[in-house]
Every structure is written in structure tokens, then in C-alpha cells.
Amino acid sequence: MNISNLFKIAFRALNNNKLRCFLTMLGIIIGVASVITMLAIGQGSKRSIKKQISEMGSNMIMIHPGNMERGGVRQSADDMQTLKLDDYTAICDETEYVAAVSPSVQSSGQFINGANNYPSSLYGISQGYLEIRKISIDEGEMFTDRDIQSAAKVCLIGKTVADNLFPDGESPVGKIIRFNKIPFTIIGTLVPKGYNSMGMDQDDLVLAPYTTVQKRVLAITYLQGIFCSALSEELTEQAIDEISILLRRNHKLTAHEEDDFEIRSQQELSSMLTSTSDMMTLLLACVAGISLLVGGIGIMNIMYVSVTERTKEIGLRMSIGARGIDILSQFLLEAILISVTGGIIGVLTGVGASISVHAFFKWPIFIEPMSVVLSFAVCTLTGIFFGWYPARKAANLDPIEALRYE
Amino acid sequence: MKNKEIIRLDHIKRDFTVGNSTVHALRGVSFSIEAGEFVTIMGTSGSGKSTLLNILGCLDTPTSGEYYLDGVAVRSMGRNQRALLRNRKIGFVFQSYNLLPKTTALENVELPLMYNPNIPARRRRELASEALEAVGLGDRKEHKSNQMSGGQQQRVAIARALVNDPVIILADEATGNLDTRTSYEILVLFQQLHARGRTIIFVTHNPELSAFSSRNIVLRDGHVIADEYNQKQASAADVLKTLPVENE
Ligand SMILES: Nc1ncnc2c1ncn2[C@@H]1O[C@H](COP(=O)(O)OP(=O)(O)O)[C@@H](O)[C@H]1O
Ligand SMILES: [Mg+2]
């Protein structure tokens, strides 16, 4: 029998049982649609995390005090004072793979401009911070080394802070705001960066010289952290090793003592986050795959019913000259048509669902062409796999028995 | 004039094993049939008629003996070769019509040609059309099988048996499900086909029908107990005229 006749026969059979076909297809439709949607969401969030991280500076290295035991008691990082200004200057002067360095001290509280006030974070940093975090200045200027030396009461503010403290839209540059009763002169505003993938507002910050925050706000002499950037993302490892050796020497740690600091890199964070999202994707894909399997079993079930129901028809076809292979192809094709049609509808539904998710929940999505191709291939295979046994059962029927079947 | 021999049976035996016992459905049947014959095979229920017809139709293979169809020895053939024979040389008519449901008369008749890759779709439709016209259903081509009466359905089935231009038409109790009048109408159709040169084997348990064929073979317990030529073939059309007309 030629292919076009085969298709004609299979279409006719499916057409005679539209509702049942559709219900069988539904399993496949749901399976494929969920595979595509889940992968689109998973891939979308992974991509957006990666993008955010590279925007934040993928070569960033963060050093925090930590990991120090005194008398067996582990202390919280905030209370530790192991990072000193010396460490910062050492990293500045004695490293090869580090591009920019900035100390970091931080305080949170209310910023006040007349009747307007807004809670935000005050970061005490040096000029290198802008390069490390890929922050640009919108209006005004960055503070200078002299401001740092004199612990000048100057600051730069992010867009969120500016919008809240200056709701009338006037330029904040040159204005004075108060934090902890300390008047800060705004010398610049920052180019907005929007929300990051974890939903944090990256424009909700105020930058000031670290000396100012240390002396005037926190009254401390140690550093809460040091931010660095490696020369490139690839050199992050080398930079970390270098810094680690330097800090151990500075802190006079012997070989069997643990580090009293902790070095984290953005690269590490990035791979941690993407591996979490990879895992989620895998999990979602598994769940979706199982529903595809259930859909396949649905096909097998309905094909068995169909073969039993049409035993007499099979007998008749054999009596007028259908060979076993013709019967096998017919039923196999029916199964494949169900699964492939279901697959097509499923792909469309999945793409539609992904786009809706993006439209309604503002979730990032990414439909990988490969996932469409793959779920389509899986569908066809499902059809062949689960259609095979019922089709073979039909092909092996004895024509006389089949004709006599009531 | 000696006609071409279409069927030759040589000591055909067919045993069925049911549990521990063996049923001898056919115990050595021999006869031959020439082109243009209209043969009725009669016998009581269980005498082996269907078993014989299944063997003639290449649906079943005999336990022993040889069967030649149109000069070809069938017994040694494989499943696929027998399927090919059924497709090209045999037309079946069943007691229960066996039409595909929800399918038009034309498509039902086309079906055997679907399994013949040498016939293109257009030719297939033409042949099916002609076959339907030959059985008097030229105006019912697009009717679905379930919208037709039993007699009409059997006509469609006969058209389906004709469409591949077989060397022989095999009918198993073809009138068994029909009322008397419709039975005679079908019989008239078979006689017309016979008159046009078709070779027909008509299996029935109804002795009355033997009068309308050109030859009678009677089976009992798997043996041929009578094989007679009918010199005075009755006309089914004449009988039909004597039957009261029912209003449909
Ligand atoms: N598949 C089978 N298995 C066992 N016995 C069978 C089978 N087919 C037919 N028979 C037996 O063979 C005999 C002839 O049956 P059959 O040819 O159907 O008779 P008829 O058609 O003349 O009524 C019966 O005794 C029947 O029970
Ligand atoms: Mg019978």
C-alpha cells in the first residue's frame, strides 16, 4: 500500500472518532505544553540571572571577615573586625590580577530632605567601587581622594532615593540631605540600573566616602568588607589566590590556621545560581516528561481499545488483501498522527502559555528552539513506541477469527 | 467448448484441534471449477461449507491436499503471497456485509484497490463507480453504509467483491441476513453477474436456492456427497415477480 492511501485510511479512522482522538491527544498536548513552558521559564530565569550578574560585574570579588574561631565559638561576620584598612592598601599596592579595589562599610537608615524621608542604605566606598559594580554617574561628579582624606560629608544617590526625596523632579545635585542628623551634600546622581533578577532595587542606595561612614556614622576603624574586580572574569581564580595569600600574610596566619576572612566571587555566585536554576529546570522538565509518558500510555490504551473494537474491520481488510504490514502501518500511523497532532497543538499551547506567563507575571522566558524540536521528536517516538504493540497485535490477528469476531 | 479451469481441489483435508480432540471439518474434498460456472455449495450447518470457502478464499490453508487457484498452487504460499492473491483474484461477500461504518458506498467499494499500489486514485474511483453501477447503486454512491438497507448494503459488498475484477466471487450465506424478497433481489444480481461471465461460488444452507445456479455441490460431514450440473437453471427474476411487493 502506498503512503498516501495509508494516510487516507488513518485519517478516516481518526475522523470517525474525533472526540476520543482529542481526549487521547489531550495527554500529549498537556505533556508537550508543560515541557515547553517549564523549559521556557527555566531557561528564561537562567538567562536573566546570567545577564544581571554580568551587569553587576562578573569579575567582582567580595572579601568579608569570617571563619574565625575563638575558643571554639564561631562569631557572626558583623562582629568581626579582621579586615583593616591595611588589607585594603595591600591589595591596592601588591596585587597583579586585581583591577579595582574598594573598601566597604554600610549603614541603613532614614534619609531626610525637608518633609520627605526615605529609608535606604548608605555605602561607604572608594572610587574603585563604581568600576567594580559597573555603576555610572548620571549628573554631577564622584568624590575625590581629598574627600576621602577629610571624611567629607558628601554623597551620591541612586534614582529611587532621588525620586523619593525630590518628588518634584528638581535636580538633587548640590542639595543637602540628612542621615543620622548628619548633613550630606549631594554631589552626584547614579545612572539607574533597575531591578536585579532577585527582585532587588539596584537604584535604592546612597554612596559616600568610606572614611565618612566609618568615622561619622558607624564610629569604627575596621572594614566590613573589601570589594575588588579581577582583570577579567577568567582571571578571577588567580586574583582570589593572590588576595588570599596576601591577607594570610598580613593577618600573620600560620599554615594550620584557618582563614579569618572569606572571599566570594561573582563567578562563583553566578555558577551557584545558574546551577540552582538548572536543577529547577531539570526538575520541571522531569515532571513534564512524566506527563508526556502518561500521555503515551493513554495512546497505547486507546489503540488497544481501537484494535479490539475494529477486529472485524481488520478481518475484512485482510480478506480483501491487506497484508500484516499494511495493518501494522495503519494502526502505527494512527498512533503517530494522534501523538504528532497532539505535539503540534502542544507546542503551540506551550509557546502561548510561555508568552502569557511573560505578559501577566513579567517572568523572563526563553523558548529554546531545541526544546521545541526535542519535545516534537519525543512525541513522534512516543507514538511509535506506544502504538507499536497494539498495531502488532492487529497485524497478527487471524483473518478468519477476526471476521467471526462479534 | 472447454472453459479455463479456475479452481482445482485435490483431496483437501482440514482438521481442527480443539483441546485433546480433533475435528475433521473437511475429510478429502476434490473437485474443479471452470470459468463461468455458478456453483452453490450446500449442506447443513457444521458440514464444512465455511471451512471450504475459507480455503478457497486463501484465508485458511488445508491440513493436507493441494489447492490450485488460477493455476497457482496455494498451499505452500506465505501469508503475504496469499494476501496478494486475495487482493487480485478473489472477491468475498459475507453474510454480515462487513462494510466500514460511517463510510460512503464509494469508499467502501474502493477499499480493495487501496491495497493495490498499481491503481492510481482516479482510476480507483472510476472502477468503484462502475462496480456500484453494475449492482444497481449508481445513485447511492455517496450514501453512508449505515444509511442503507440490508439489501443495499449487500449490494455494496458485492460491488466491493467485483471491483478488483476477480477470477472468482465467493459468497458465504450472502442472503442469510435478508428477507425473502431481498434475498431474491440479490440472487437476481448474482445471476446477472453470472450471465456476464463471472465465476461464482455461493455457499448456502437453504436447498431452495440450488435451483438458480448452474451446478450444485452438497457437503455432509466434510465429504462431497453430491455434485450435479443443473440443466434447467431457474430464473430468480421470475420468482421475484411472483412475490408480493412490500412497501418500504
Ligand atoms: N476454528 C475452528 N476451530 C475448531 N473447529 C472448527 C473451527 N472452524 C470450524 N470448526 C468446525 O468444523 C466444522 C465445520 O464448520 P463450518 O465450516 O463452519 O460449517 P458450516 O459453515 O457448514 O456451518 C464444524 O464442526 C465446526 O465446529
Ligand atoms: Mg458457515
Side-chain angles (χ1 to χ4, degrees):
Chain A
M1 167 142 50
N2 62 31
I3 301 288
S4 81
N5 285 352
L6 206 57
F7 267 95
K8 209 173 272 176
I9 289 172
F11 269 125
R12 148 126 278 134
L14 296 180
N15 203 34
N16 283 348
N17 258 316
K18 284 193 207 71
L19 181 65
R20 193 161 80 181
C21 265
F22 175 71
L23 292 176
T24 311
M25 245 178 238
L26 211 54
I28 293 288
I29 293 175
I30 293 172
V32 172
S34 49
V35 168
I36 292 202
T37 315
M38 296 306 164
L39 286 180
I41 293 171
Q43 286 297 316
S45 77
K46 183 177 166 183
R47 291 197 156 221
S48 112
I49 289 171
K50 279 206 145 161
K51 187 163 156 266
Q52 300 283 356
I53 285 173
S54 76
E55 272 172 14
M56 264 157 57
S58 54
N59 53 351
M60 185 163 87
I61 298 166
M62 292 152 286
I63 308 161
H64 290 284
N67 249 356
M68 198 175 62
E69 284 179 46
R70 280 218 186 94
V73 181
R74 215 169 255 276
Q75 297 190 313
S76 96
D78 284 348
D79 299 336
M80 284 186 274
Q81 308 181 2
T82 53
L83 287 180
K84 304 282 190 217
L85 208 56
D86 282 349
D87 296 324
Y88 162 66
T89 43
I91 293 171
C92 279
D93 300 339
E94 297 173 44
T95 54
E96 211 181 313
Y97 298 107
V98 175
V101 194
S102 166
S104 159
V105 282
Q106 190 207 336
S107 176
S108 310
Q110 211 72 9
F111 288 86
I112 302 161
N113 171 39
N116 299 311
N117 63 65
Y118 185 72
S120 188
S121 301
L122 177 68
Y123 292 93
I125 45 102
S126 71
Q127 294 95 323
Y129 193 76
L130 296 189
E131 185 190 328
I132 296 165
R133 301 298 301 258
K134 305 250 184 318
I135 298 172
S136 319
I137 292 174
D138 191 12
E139 211 182 311
E141 305 232 328
M142 188 59 185
F143 50 78
T144 60
D145 286 341
R146 273 190 47 201
D147 293 329
I148 292 176
Q149 272 153 30
S150 62
K153 290 175 274 186
V154 293
C155 70
L156 296 98
I157 60 174
K159 181 154 193 315
T160 307
V161 180
D163 288 348
N164 282 285
L165 293 183
F166 301 93
D168 301 335
E170 66 209 286
S171 168
V173 178
K175 302 282 189 326
I176 291 170
I177 56 173
R178 282 168 192 282
F179 179 81
N180 271 4
K181 300 196 179 89
I182 305 159
F184 280 89
T185 307
I186 299 170
I187 57 168
T189 58
L190 307 174
V191 173
K193 295 183 81 172
Y195 287 82
N196 71 8
S197 55
M198 285 147 284
M200 267 159 50
D201 183 359
Q202 299 180 91
D203 303 319
D204 186 4
L205 81 173
V206 177
L207 303 180
Y210 65 93
T211 46
T212 316
V213 179
Q214 268 184 321
K215 288 178 193 156
R216 301 186 193 276
V217 181
L218 297 171
I220 56 174
T221 53
Y222 60 90
L223 298 176
Q224 288 169 340
I226 300 172
F227 282 74
C228 312
S229 63
L231 287 176
S232 71
E233 193 182 340
E234 292 71 42
L235 293 174
T236 310
E237 291 284 315
Q238 282 95 316
I240 290 174
D241 289 346
E242 193 178 47
I243 294 166
S244 167
I245 291 166
L246 191 62
L247 292 182
R248 286 187 69 87
R249 195 198 64 203
N250 262 17
H251 296 184
K252 302 191 170 59
L253 296 175
T254 55
H256 59 267
E257 276 179 303
E258 274 186 73
D259 288 350
D260 58 0
F261 52 88
E262 212 169 6
I263 306 179
R264 281 269 171 85
S265 69
Q266 197 71 277
Q267 193 194 27
E268 196 182 345
L269 185 71
S270 152
S271 63
M272 199 177 79
L273 286 176
T274 53
S275 82
T276 317
S277 103
D278 275 347
M279 193 117 119
M280 283 302 290
T281 308
L282 193 71
L283 217 77
L284 294 174
C286 278
V287 171
I290 287 168
S291 67
L292 200 58
L293 184 77
V294 172
I297 293 170
I299 289 187
M300 183 141 142
N301 183 30
I302 220 66
M303 289 313 291
Y304 266 123
V305 170
S306 181
V307 167
T308 309
E309 230 179 39
R310 285 151 68 192
T311 300
K312 210 158 178 151
E313 177 194 323
I314 294 165
L316 170 80
R317 285 181 187 279
M318 287 175 161
S319 76
I320 59 171
R323 293 163 301 162
I325 181 87
D326 295 324
I327 302 292
L328 182 97
S329 326
Q330 178 190 337
F331 281 90
L332 203 52
L333 191 64
E334 278 179 32
I336 294 173
L337 279 178
I338 290 180
S339 58
V340 167
T341 312
I344 293 173
I345 300 176
V347 166
L348 296 178
T349 314
V351 170
S354 306
I355 292 171
S356 315
V357 161
H358 180 61
F360 290 121
F361 302 113
K362 299 273 176 287
W363 286 2
I365 58 150
F366 179 75
I367 298 166
E368 199 154 8
M370 201 54 207
S371 76
V372 174
V373 173
L374 208 73
S375 45
F376 208 73
V378 168
C379 257
T380 316
L381 286 179
T382 305
I384 294 174
F385 187 79
F386 289 102
W388 177 261
Y389 284 96
R392 213 187 52 170
K393 183 190 169 196
N396 287 343
L397 284 175
D398 176 58
I400 301 169
E401 299 277 319
L403 275 169
R404 214 181 279 155
Y405 184 87
E406 288 300 335
Chain B
M1 180 187 93
K2 175 103 172 122
N3 275 332
K4 189 183 170 218
E5 184 184 75
I6 290 194
I7 280 172
R8 198 168 97 224
L9 295 180
D10 250 353
H11 290 91
I12 292 293
K13 292 186 180 170
R14 181 67 169 102
D15 301 335
F16 294 106
T17 323
V18 182
N20 297 332
S21 63
T22 306
V23 180
H24 302 282
L26 296 174
R27 302 163 186 260
V29 173
S30 305
F31 59 78
S32 50
I33 293 173
E34 291 166 9
E37 285 195 273
F38 182 175
V39 182
T40 45
I41 295 180
M42 292 199 302
T44 52
S45 182
S47 56
K49 306 181 299 289
S50 295
T51 306
L52 179 59
L53 203 75
N54 286 338
I55 289 174
L56 290 173
C58 304
L59 285 171
D60 197 7
T61 29
T63 312
S64 68
E66 190 51 272
Y67 164 37
Y68 299 92
L69 171 65
D70 210 17
V72 191
V74 177
R75 213 171 88 82
S76 55
M77 283 188 165
R79 252 172 92 101
N80 287 347
Q81 281 172 301
R82 281 189 282 131
L84 192 68
L85 273 187
R86 292 198 291 272
N87 188 243
R88 303 298 153 81
K89 293 190 187 277
I90 292 166
F92 271 106
V93 181
F94 303 94
Q95 179 172 0
S96 54
Y97 330 130
N98 283 345
L99 300 183
L100 295 188
K102 300 183 194 172
T103 308
T104 65
L106 197 67
E107 285 168 320
N108 264 297
V109 176
E110 278 185 43
L111 209 57
L113 303 180
M114 293 280 242
Y115 294 96
N116 183 347
N118 302 329
I119 296 178
R122 240 162 68 90
R123 181 83 189 117
R124 190 167 69 217
R125 222 157 297 130
E126 279 168 19
L127 287 171
S129 247
E130 283 167 21
L132 276 171
E133 277 154 24
V135 298
L137 287 178
D139 53 345
R140 295 271 192 327
K141 286 175 192 162
E142 296 303 329
H143 285 225
K144 297 264 171 75
S145 47
N146 37 326
Q147 301 166 337
M148 287 191 276
S149 70
Q152 287 169 334
Q153 288 191 50
Q154 194 58 300
R155 278 167 193 274
V156 175
I158 293 168
R160 186 180 61 197
L162 280 176
V163 75
N164 57 344
D165 193 22
V167 295
I168 191 153
I169 293 173
L170 304 175
D172 193 354
E173 309 275 8
T175 58
N177 280 8
L178 301 170
D179 60 61
T180 314
R181 194 184 161 77
T182 320
S183 294
Y184 276 100
E185 285 172 356
I186 294 297
L187 216 50
V188 169
L189 179 57
F190 273 110
Q191 285 198 324
Q192 284 169 354
L193 296 174
H194 176 228
R196 277 182 244 151
R198 291 280 170 198
T199 314
I200 299 163
I201 297 181
F202 190 97
V203 164
T204 180
H205 66 275
N206 183 355
E208 284 174 37
L209 302 184
S210 63
F212 304 96
S213 63
S214 66
R215 181 180 170 188
N216 277 314
I217 293 175
V218 183
L219 284 185
R220 188 194 290 158
D221 297 332
H223 290 290
V224 176
I225 55 159
D227 183 355
E228 292 162 352
Y229 287 86
N230 188 359
Q231 304 306 335
K232 272 198 65 191
Q233 204 177 333
S235 161
D238 291 345
V239 179
L240 189 59
K241 278 179 208 145
T242 69
L243 291 173
V245 181
E246 297 156 47
N247 288 326
E248 285 184 36

